[in-house]
Amino acid sequence: MSQCCAGPASITRVHCPDGATCIGAPEGDAEPRPGLPAVVTGRRRHLQHSVKNMLAAFISRVLRRVAQKSARRVLVASRKSSNDATFEIKKCDLYLLEEGPPVTTVLTRAEGLKYYRMMLTVRRMELKADQLYKQKFIRGFCHLCDGQEACCVGLEAGINPSDHVITSYRAHGVCYTRGLSVRSILAELTGRRGGCAKGKGGSMHMYTKNFYGGNGIVGAQGPLGAGIALACKYKGNDEICLTLYGDGAANQGQIAEAFNMAALWKLPCVFICENNLYGMGTSTERAAASPDYYKRGNFIPGLKVDGMDVLCVREATKFAANYCRSGKGPILMELQTYRYHGHSMSDPGVSYRTREEIQEVRSKRDPIIILQDRMVNSKLATVEELKEIGAEVRKEIDDAAQFATTDPEPHLEELGHHIYSSDSSFEVRGANPWIKFKSVS
Amino acid sequence: MAAVSGLVRRPLREVSGLLKRRFHWTAPAALQVTVRDAINQGMDEELERDEKVFLLGEEVAQYDGAYKVSRGLWKKYGDKRIIDTPISEMGFAGIAVGAAMAGLRPICEFMTFNFSMQAIDQVINSAAKTYYMSGGLQPVPIVFRGPNGASAGVAAQHSQCFAAWYGHCPGLKVVSPWNSEDAKGLIKSAIRDNNPVVVLENELMYGVPFEFPPEAQSKDFLIPIGKAKIERQGKKTKIYKHPSILVKFNLEVTVINMRTIRPMDMETIEASVMKTNHLVTVEGGWPQFGVGAEICARIMEGPAFNFLDAPAVRVTGADVPMPYAKILEDNSIPQVKDIIFAIKKTLNI
């Protein structure tokens, strides 16, 4: 029996002679036993692991001889999936901190499946938005976050639903992870009644409970997020606010003002710089005198996080959330990530960076593939299971797109609604003095 | 008739009233309250009433307010509710808006509205538009207040009137109190309103005392936002927007104190114009695209146009950045003589 190559946590694929595809395994694996099919696994907690493996292997060999075609399926089915696995994650660079997040983490099967599904949903949703935009169902601005899925999913995994999040215009992923349905997001993009903002907001202005958008003005969400954190501290409810901004926004003066007041008043605010290396078409080296964004908080401690690894993001977020909740004040996280699309749908994204660079990230650092390989490799899930999730996600997205392209536009009468909250109705002027719209709160 | 029926219905009260009158019993001296103290009272009452209300701005706490409007509040309510900020308008205005989105009811003070220009993006894009953009999901119950317009000798960068700028934007409410009663009633209404309200005060009026009617002394005294007040009834209409000038007329002029810039009470103005047939608007701000310009445009488009016997006229600040020298400054804002001249011209006398 041949041995699969055991290697570091990067993805290497090897074809084993028995036809199965083995994935390069994380470090510290058990030596493959001679006489067993050469699938190398990660560290386990099951006590009867080796016995089960031997038994499974024996059964599978027997069945393979019986039905060659269904060999792979049987091979997989006979292997019981594990409940959890431990993974090593990249150590975060620290600024003004003695200790950082842990370098290993446990991922349960349930968590892994959830993160996988969420990331895949965000990916497919963004790609569908791309398609709808090109078909002219979506108008105006459309800033996609495919490539950055580990950020929104990892952040959500590190906080409670009762915590608060605010972000920039590249918001669709966070909209989903904060609880908006794909349907309501796509229908808002297409400007329909069933959109989460009733078609009044569009891509950059989607809101839900404990999620404050979606902000069109670069950097404005910095002080807003600090204000939400102030409300958390004021109410004494132990909640925190994640305030996201990009590498471009990091150079906004109001971000520095927000840092100052958050630190001064010890606001429970986690400032998060999603550094995808480009502010529109300007690379970080051309925009920032210091592109060490995790140090830009000056007097605020910072972490540099691998934003392509959902587990790294999760652990860093938990660490940061804990820091804030303990009353120490704000903390800053820089998530190193990458966007596959250009700045927006009107930017092909290749005039200021090379196709090779994009391809390199896709093949070596794709967040979904990183998780997928980890899960399959450590038997948290099978390839088939993940494919099934993929099919379910595809259906969900397709149904949502169908809704988003067929739901009617808002009633014209609603043009004047929602000017003021909690007010009696009044008249709003239209394009000429004879056109009046009723405004209802 | 009324007196007789009064005696029959309420004999004891009338008799005691007569007795009182016979003994020359004088009513208590009317309560005089400055505009500053009225705003202070209004904020104090609302801070006491609702613990979600808090005040932030430069020097509002330990300094007692740059113009002493928040005097005594920090001593009473402490650091949590009266917050001194660094000189970071865009930052603290944004923080205030965020706090409002998360359920608190902030009062954000700008030392003068000139400095609000640094934060104007947060006022307009983060506060005013959010309820609409979110399809009614996210209200922003915030008050932005501070002195607006000309002061005395503070020159161009510190004398701009922002009524037209803020009045331009849907989603905002903009109020402009004149006397103490206005100040207290409007600040209380603004704080209780679930929308972003801009309260344009006037520094020169802070120290001016006015008679405070009994109803204004109540803790629930509110002046509705969106209603103008007819300060005096006469035969001709005049509208005060910024009545920081005390005027005595020989003419029979109706004086309307707008109180609210947005939403503007056109009904009161139109009804008055239809009675008096003339209109003069008065404001401290620049003429081009000003509040007076809007009023005139609406009068033209509305039912009152046909009642005008002469074109409506605006009295405004001079179309220059505010100069410093006294003679120049005096002639850059509407003076009493300028208003009277305009009225007489309109009346053709």
Side-chain angles (χ1 to χ4, degrees), chain A residues 52-53 85 185 259 313 337 340 343:
Chain A
K52 276 186 183 161
N53 216 29
I185 294 171
F259 285 165
V313 176
T337 184
Y340 294 142
H343 163 71

Side-chain angles (χ1 to χ4, degrees), chain A residues 88-398:
Chain A
E88 282 182 7
I89 52 178
K90 194 167 164 205
K91 186 172 189 298
C92 295
D93 287 353
L94 302 178
Y95 176 70
L96 298 185
L97 283 168
E98 296 291 307
E99 290 172 336
V103 292
T104 60
T105 183
V106 174
L107 176 69
T108 68
R109 176 180 146 81
E111 286 168 348
L113 290 174
K114 184 168 89 165
Y115 304 158
Y116 181 80
R117 181 184 290 270
M118 285 173 84
M119 289 204 287
L120 196 61
T121 304
V122 172
R123 173 70 58 92
R124 294 256 168 89
M125 179 178 73
E126 295 293 77
L127 295 179
K128 179 58 74 178
D130 170 283
Q131 190 184 50
L132 291 173
Y133 194 93
K134 285 168 178 158
Q135 293 170 330
K136 299 209 191 307
F137 284 107
I138 300 176
R139 311 176 310 117
F141 290 129
C142 192
H143 307 89
L144 302 177
C145 69
D146 51 313
Q148 300 183 205
E149 297 85 357
C151 296
C152 52
V153 174
L155 290 171
E156 190 64 34
I159 56 172
N160 305 323
S162 54
D163 289 322
H164 307 263
V165 180
I166 189 169
T167 186
S168 68
Y169 49 74
R170 199 176 301 283
H172 308 159
V174 184
C175 292
Y176 176 72
T177 55
R178 275 271 97 183
L180 286 169
S181 67
V182 180
R183 250 165 96 97
S184 67
I185 294 171
L186 289 183
E188 185 59 35
L189 291 177
T190 55
R192 308 299 168 108
R193 253 174 237 186
C196 53
K198 304 189 175 79
K200 300 286 266 294
S203 169
M204 302 181 289
H205 309 297
M206 306 198 208
Y207 299 78
T208 189
K209 185 168 195 295
N210 295 345
F211 176 58
Y212 305 83
N215 286 273
I217 306 297
V218 173
Q221 72 272 24
L224 292 175
I228 296 162
L230 186 145
C232 294
K233 181 170 181 176
Y234 191 102
K235 292 180 186 175
N237 55 22
D238 216 31
E239 291 163 10
I240 61 166
C241 182
L242 303 188
T243 303
L244 281 71
Y245 58 96
D247 49 281
N251 301 314
Q252 273 269 312
Q254 57 186 321
I255 295 285
E257 293 187 12
F259 285 165
N260 183 39
M261 284 182 273
L264 201 57
W265 301 331
K266 292 202 166 15
L267 303 180
C269 187
V270 181
F271 290 104
I272 299 168
C273 179
E274 274 182 297
N275 179 7
N276 59 19
L277 305 182
Y278 299 94
M280 206 157 156
T282 307
S283 65
T284 55
E285 311 86 66
R286 293 202 305 126
S290 164
D292 281 330
Y293 297 101
Y294 72 112
K295 294 182 183 170
R296 293 275 293 272
N298 196 3
F299 30 74
I300 297 179
L303 298 168
K304 188 153 96 167
V305 182
D306 179 359
M308 302 307 257
D309 177 356
V310 68
L311 297 182
C312 203
V313 176
R314 178 182 78 172
E315 290 312 308
T317 307
K318 280 186 183 164
F319 176 88
N322 200 40
Y323 180 94
C324 281
R325 271 187 246 279
S326 64
K328 298 197 183 105
I331 189 169
L332 209 163
M333 275 170 41
E334 177 188 340
L335 304 181
Q336 302 211 298
T337 184
Y338 198 83
R339 53 164 163 83
Y340 294 142
H341 268 85
H343 163 71
S344 71
M345 286 305 299
S346 45
D347 170 26
V350 286
S351 63
Y352 48 87
R353 56 184 191 173
T354 62
R355 287 183 207 276
E356 288 73 42
E357 181 188 278
I358 306 169
Q359 198 39 47
E360 171 103 8
V361 178
R362 262 195 211 280
S363 56
K364 299 235 175 84
R365 295 175 61 216
D366 185 280
I368 298 176
I369 294 179
I370 289 176
L371 179 66
Q372 175 184 306
D373 288 348
R374 269 186 169 146
M375 289 188 63
V376 168
N377 188 46
S378 60
K379 297 278 198 316
L380 287 179
T382 62
V383 171
E384 264 61 36
E385 270 179 310
L386 298 184
K387 275 206 178 109
E388 218 177 285
I389 293 178
E392 285 165 15
V393 166
R394 189 176 295 111
K395 183 169 189 322
E396 185 187 348
I397 305 297
D398 285 344

Side-chain angles (χ1 to χ4, degrees), chain A residues 197-198 200-201 205 207 217 220 223-224 227 234-235 254 257 261 265 415 417-418 420-423 429 433, chain B residues 51 53 80-81 84 88 90-92 94-95 98-99 102 121-122 131-135 138 172-173 194-195 301:
Chain A
K198 304 189 175 79
K200 300 286 266 294
H205 309 297
Y207 299 78
I217 306 297
L224 292 175
Y234 191 102
K235 292 180 186 175
Q254 57 186 321
E257 293 187 12
M261 284 182 273
W265 301 331
L415 187 145
H417 291 351
H418 310 123
Y420 295 133
S421 164
S422 331
D423 261 20
R429 186 192 160 113
Chain B
E51 61 182 23
V53 177
K80 179 179 171 182
R81 303 193 59 204
D84 274 337
S88 312
M90 199 166 183
F92 71 70
I95 282 178
D121 175 69
Q122 297 287 3
Y131 192 67
Y132 188 86
M133 293 192 298
S134 65
Q138 179 64 71
L172 273 189
K173 294 189 181 181
N194 282 339
N195 296 289
E301 289 176 340

